[in-house]
Amino acid sequence: MDLSKLTTDGKAMFLAYDHGVEHGPIDLVGKSIDPNFILDIADKGGYNAVVLQKGIAEKYYFNSQYQNKIPLIIKLNGKTKLAGGEAVSRQVCSVDEAIQLGAVAVGYTIYLGSEFESEMLEEFGKIEEEAHQKGLVVIGWMYPRGKSIKDDSSPEIVAYAARMGLEMGADIVKIKYCGSEECFKKAVEAAGKTKVVLSGGAKTKTPEEFLEVVKNIMSAGAIGVAVGRNVWQSNDPIGISQKIKEIIFR
Ligand code: FBP
């Protein structure tokens, strides 16, 4: 699959903004409640793409000034944190709807290890087939989660998640940080020809802490990041975007 619409010299910086679904407005502090604020960061910060759910894409991105400036990744599934029990996230947007909204890629979260893992794997398989037939890049949010997962960021689990992306046909996997450059290297190795991006995580105590993680994952062979809170919850979203950019594209 051709990743050129989503990358610069093979590297990528994606701005994630699907947290209104996954975490609720509590995450969307200050100006970040406004989707236009995020689209402006994506534009001015030089992101390769922005990640949105379909409602935000339809009302704020489609036919807006941003549509021709920033490529769109549509999340095809989602779940709230209000639902109890084992994690399951089902499809809420079709591949065709994503295309109509202007997406060049689709994203789908698979909760590996959940009781409902097989449902998500099956759904992902169908989405991947259709999206590839229609020329879209497929990104797997590979998140181990559930009673059977003791530590979702252990080196073994993160490498397993990365490998699953390759096995399932994802073009890019978005995985959590496992704590060091060495273990991330193993995950990149496990992903093989599937490219790896870091899933940002909760805002770190200092921006330097997050930038250190970005340095480590890039040295480990990742192609970049799909980051949300560490950017748009920052006091200086454009400033931190510039620093991330310098690390990724240097
Ligand atoms: P962050 O950089 O803010 O962690 O965003 C990455 C992301 O994968 C989002 O796309 C998603 O909404 C969120 O993290 C899900 O986080 P989790 O399921 O771990 O609570």
Side-chain angles (χ1 to χ4, degrees), residues 16 18-19 22-23 141 143 145 174 176 199-201 227-229:
D18 57 335
H19 304 63
E22 302 297 329
H23 301 161
W141 269 232
Y143 290 176
R145 196 159 300 177
K174 182 172 180 310
K176 307 234 168 184
S199 185
V227 58
R229 289 164 287 179

Side-chain angles (χ1 to χ4, degrees), residues 34-177:
D34 178 5
N36 280 319
F37 175 69
I38 305 298
L39 288 164
D40 210 48
I41 298 172
D43 178 23
K44 297 198 174 106
Y47 285 82
N48 290 97
V50 63
V51 180
L52 302 174
Q53 282 280 0
K54 67 173 183 178
I56 304 275
E58 190 238 318
K59 291 186 172 56
Y60 293 86
Y61 174 90
F62 185 66
N63 269 345
S64 78
Q65 53 161 319
Y66 300 108
Q67 184 161 359
N68 295 324
K69 292 186 181 172
I70 318 152
L72 174 67
I73 301 167
I74 286 270
K75 262 314 287 301
L76 293 187
N77 66 342
K79 71 151 188 51
T80 71
K81 68 171 185 189
L82 305 174
E86 285 282 277
V88 59
S89 184
R90 301 297 304 256
Q91 185 172 9
V92 293
C93 177
S94 68
V95 171
D96 282 339
E97 196 175 4
I99 293 170
Q100 279 155 23
L101 289 167
V104 296
V106 290
Y108 184 98
T109 305
I110 304 176
Y111 294 113
L112 297 165
S114 155
E115 262 175 38
F116 304 105
E117 175 194 87
S118 62
E119 287 177 30
M120 290 171 276
L121 290 176
E122 183 185 0
E123 205 162 72
F124 182 82
K126 290 185 182 143
I127 282 169
E128 181 266 320
E129 182 183 3
E130 186 184 350
H132 278 164
Q133 275 167 4
K134 295 178 176 170
L136 268 69
V137 171
V138 176
I139 307 176
W141 269 232
M142 308 305 285
Y143 290 176
R145 196 159 300 177
K147 310 195 267 293
S148 66
I149 305 292
K150 302 278 172 285
D151 176 2
D152 69 352
S153 48
S154 77
E156 297 74 25
I157 291 289
V158 172
Y160 201 160
R163 183 66 182 201
M164 276 301 287
L166 171 66
E167 304 275 353
M168 293 297 106
D171 303 301
I172 301 175
V173 282
K174 182 172 180 310
I175 56 173
K176 307 234 168 184
Y177 189 51

Side-chain angles (χ1 to χ4, degrees), residues 171-242:
D171 303 301
I172 301 175
V173 282
K174 182 172 180 310
I175 56 173
K176 307 234 168 184
Y177 189 51
C178 50
S180 70
E181 180 185 327
E182 291 69 38
C183 68
F184 213 82
K185 211 171 194 169
K186 297 264 184 219
V188 171
E189 192 179 72
K193 288 189 178 177
T194 291
K195 307 295 182 199
V196 174
V197 294
L198 171 79
S199 185
K203 189 167 166 236
T204 52
K205 284 203 188 83
T206 62
E208 289 70 33
E209 210 179 305
F210 180 66
L211 295 171
E212 192 58 32
V213 172
V214 178
K215 277 183 201 148
N216 290 345
I217 62 105
M218 292 311 291
S219 305
I223 65 160
V225 300
V227 58
R229 289 164 287 179
N230 273 291
V231 169
W232 41 257
Q233 286 182 353
S234 155
N235 294 330
D236 181 12
I238 301 296
I240 190 159
S241 299
Q242 291 304 338

